[in-house]
Amino acid sequence: MPTPLPTKIPTPTPISTSIVTPTARVSATPKPTATPLPGTINLNVPFTSQAPEQNWDEFHEEACEEAAILTAQWYAFGKVGKNEAGYANRIPVAEAEKSLVDIVAWEKNIVSDWKDTTAEETIRIAKELLGMHNVTLFDGGTTDDFKKELAKGNIIVLPTAGRLLNNPNFKSPGPPYHMIVLRGYNANGFITNDPGTRKGEGYVYSEATINNAWHDWTGSIDTIQSGVKKAIVVGREP
């Protein structure tokens, strides 16, 4: 009987031990895009000069802060002035005059020097006397931040080294310290209510001028041009 042939055992196919990691699908979260600011903002803020009756005596020459915060109060509470005598929205003369006198009388008992009040002292007037609540100190930032506030419907009460404003309507050489209201902006700069002149309703200063002149009161006219950049943001009252 023939010898049987040996059975051939097949060689097993080697199993790969490498592990393939599937590529993870990572969906990137899109970054939120900032809403572009409107090209022009011009809020309807009532106006008065700091000398409503055109009496530019010593009292009225020092009343810019009072006039600025008074117009801000009217805006905050939605009060509207008169369309008269070339003004679109003027606080009635007699009412503005009385209000300025009343504010100064209050200040003489509360703040150190009513003639020149800092941003923080002016906030005290707004809150403690004029009944305003939506008033905050703007401490640090840029003029671009002013535009963002204006786009929200807020206005800016801005302390300045007044002579750096170079307003041709000021009595030369202009006030060393001065306060104005920013009510909007356009391609030419910031639209303001400047109480330092009867022509101040809607007066436009370039953005560079505003940035250069923006200084809070230091306590001395000799150092005002190095004052810090503080301001007051005023919104509508509920």
Side-chain angles (χ1 to χ4, degrees), residues 45-52 56 59-60 62-74 91 96-97 99-101 103-104 107 114 117 122 125 130 155 157 178-181 193-197:
V45 181
F47 173 77
T48 184
S49 81
Q50 62 198 68
W56 291 91
F59 173 90
H60 292 91
E62 300 289 350
C64 62
E65 298 101 308
E66 293 77 12
I69 201 63
L70 176 63
T71 59
Q73 183 213 34
W74 273 57
I91 300 174
E97 180 69 24
S99 295
L100 296 180
V101 171
I103 293 172
V104 170
E107 286 178 280
W114 74 268
T117 57
T122 306
I125 299 170
L130 301 181
I155 60 175
V157 179
H178 189 52
M179 200 168 274
I180 62 178
V181 176
N193 276 0
D194 188 331
T197 164

Side-chain angles (χ1 to χ4, degrees), residues 161 176-177 215-228:
Y177 179 61
H215 296 288
D216 197 15
W217 178 237
T218 60
S220 170
I221 62 174
D222 296 326
T223 58
I224 181 58
Q225 294 188 17
S226 61
V228 297

Side-chain angles (χ1 to χ4, degrees), residues 115-136:
K115 293 181 180 180
D116 297 295
T117 57
T118 65
E120 287 166 297
E121 288 172 330
T122 306
I123 287 176
R124 288 195 65 187
I125 299 170
K127 291 185 173 181
E128 297 177 28
L129 178 65
L130 301 181
M132 300 161 68
H133 302 284
N134 196 3
V135 183
T136 56

Side-chain angles (χ1 to χ4, degrees), residues 18-68:
S18 63
I19 300 174
V20 179
T21 304
T23 304
R25 291 184 171 227
V26 179
S27 57
T29 303
K31 294 182 179 180
T33 55
T35 303
L37 294 174
T40 299
I41 295 285
N42 189 9
L43 301 171
N44 190 22
V45 181
F47 173 77
T48 184
S49 81
Q50 62 198 68
E53 297 175 339
Q54 298 304 310
N55 177 17
W56 291 91
D57 58 11
E58 182 180 3
F59 173 90
H60 292 91
E61 286 183 352
E62 300 289 350
C64 62
E65 298 101 308
E66 293 77 12

